[in-house]
Amino acid sequence: MSSVCSKCGGPAFYTRRYSGEVLCQGCFRASIVEKTGRTIRRYGMLGRGDRVGVAVSGGKDSLSLLEVLWSLSETKGYKLVALTVDEGVKGYREESIRHAAWLADRLHLEHEVVSYNELYGFDLDSALDWKDARDISSCSMCGIFRRRAIDEAGQRARVDVIATAHNLDDFVQTFMMNLMHGDVSRIGWLDPLVVDTDFPIRRVKPFMEIYEEEVALYAHLSELPFQSTNCPYMHEALRSEVRDYLNELEAKHPGMKNVLFNSAVQVSSKLSPLEGPKLVSCSKCGKPSSSGVCSVCRMKELVQQHTKGSVGPAFHDANPASRHTL
Ligand code: SF4
Ligand code: ZN
């Protein structure tokens, strides 16, 4: 590695193996902000005057996203609000919510927090008691509740768009997992230009072109107090294997993740759905749904049946590649 930064001549700190750039700490951090700004422009993610809800769980990715968007917000003219979901995981969630609140406060941002308990009448700990007997992963089940909860937080905060911290690794992993599940139609929904009508508020992923390891490094250099332990329910064997495989490939062939990312974007644009599923109002909660009763209400009912002691019918895992990385 050259001993000086290729941008400013300062002391070298990081070599971006896929591009050969050598960067000092300051130029590395600046490059993450610039890259994120480029992704936002390329896909028209955010515009001047937008009220942007940033989904912040308190992990490294979401805290970094909040800080990076904050650095861009003044010149780009958008207003940020931090959105946090408290799933109710005792001994784990409290710490990450503290970190999210700390950063929102430091950046003088509004912070909207919604909890499963308040929205659904139970927390994740009790909901997952039931789950053990089901053929559905914790994250798939939790993800159904989470997506609705983030929308709810966004609606309360009156945001125009919600930014999530999915990075390039998440994007490629999801692409590969959809292939492995034979879920080709879902690949089209990865197209960054498609507007997923399942969500009442538009979703964007400003970190989707940044490697996970670079987001982690940014968080570390920014001295963000993120939680380093994972959610105790996070158990996604296939995703972990895909992650390890991709990391091995990248170590042997620097830039391979970028190549896969570009392929995934091209393939998803070819499979991009022309229109979303026809939506009706859920007969229970009134929210838009592709069937008579939405997945949240169906899942809620099963959890409630269990907590009353009876066992409901099997639930089809509608989103096997979901995981929250916020
Ligand atoms: Fe829910 Fe999975 Fe996130 Fe845990 S890791 S909060 S189970 S989506
Ligand atoms: Zn419903």
Side-chain angles (χ1 to χ4, degrees), residues 148 282-287 289 293-298:
R148 173 71 57 84
C282 166
S283 60
K284 291 192 181 288
C285 69
K287 302 275 184 195
S289 165
V293 178
C294 74
S295 53
V296 173
C297 287
R298 280 185 290 149

Side-chain angles (χ1 to χ4, degrees), residues 87 93 124 138-139 142-143 146 231 233-234 323-324:
E87 299 89 353
R93 239 315 160 234
L124 188 61
S138 310
C139 291
C142 179
R146 254 190 89 72
C231 168
Y233 299 121
M234 189 163 117
R323 175 178 69 101
H324 118 253

Side-chain angles (χ1 to χ4, degrees), residues 6-182:
S6 41
K7 286 199 189 284
C8 74
F13 168 74
Y14 177 72
T15 302
R16 193 164 263 153
R17 285 183 71 214
Y18 61 79
S19 66
E21 276 171 294
V22 176
L23 298 168
C24 68
Q25 295 193 9
C27 289
F28 171 79
R29 288 185 74 238
S31 77
I32 297 297
V33 177
E34 275 162 33
K35 252 184 128 180
T36 307
R38 271 204 302 277
T39 304
I40 291 171
R41 271 198 310 282
R42 180 173 299 138
Y43 297 106
M45 291 179 172
L46 307 177
R48 198 160 277 282
D50 272 348
R51 204 169 149 80
V52 183
V54 185
V56 187
S57 67
K60 64 178 174 20
D61 294 12
S62 63
L63 292 176
S64 299
L65 179 66
L66 187 64
E67 198 185 76
V68 167
L69 291 182
W70 181 82
S71 314
L72 291 165
S73 63
E74 202 168 315
T75 49
K76 302 297 175 196
Y78 36 77
K79 170 122 180 74
L80 303 182
V81 182
L83 309 175
T84 297
V85 176
D86 179 0
E87 299 89 353
V89 181
K90 275 205 184 52
Y92 165 74
R93 239 315 160 234
E94 301 85 349
E95 184 190 340
S96 52
I97 291 176
R98 265 202 315 280
H99 296 326
W102 173 83
L103 187 59
D105 187 57
R106 199 181 76 167
L107 303 177
H108 306 291
L109 300 175
E110 278 176 50
H111 187 201
E112 186 73 47
V113 183
V114 296
S115 72
Y116 279 14
N117 228 326
E118 157 206 1
L119 294 179
Y120 310 123
F122 48 78
D123 55 24
L124 188 61
D125 285 332
S126 30
L128 288 179
D129 267 0
W130 163 83
K131 191 240 90 173
D132 290 346
R134 307 285 140 181
D135 182 21
I136 177 171
S137 80
S138 310
C139 291
S140 297
M141 178 180 171
C142 179
I144 290 172
F145 294 128
R146 254 190 89 72
R147 284 189 287 277
R148 173 71 57 84
I150 290 180
D151 283 330
E152 183 63 34
Q155 281 167 333
R156 288 185 192 178
R158 303 176 318 284
V159 302
D160 303 299
V161 51
I162 293 178
T164 61
H166 295 92
N167 56 47
L168 182 143
D169 293 53
D170 296 322
F171 193 96
V172 176
Q173 287 160 19
T174 302
F175 172 72
M176 295 194 59
M177 287 176 71
N178 283 327
L179 284 178
M180 289 169 181
H181 283 112

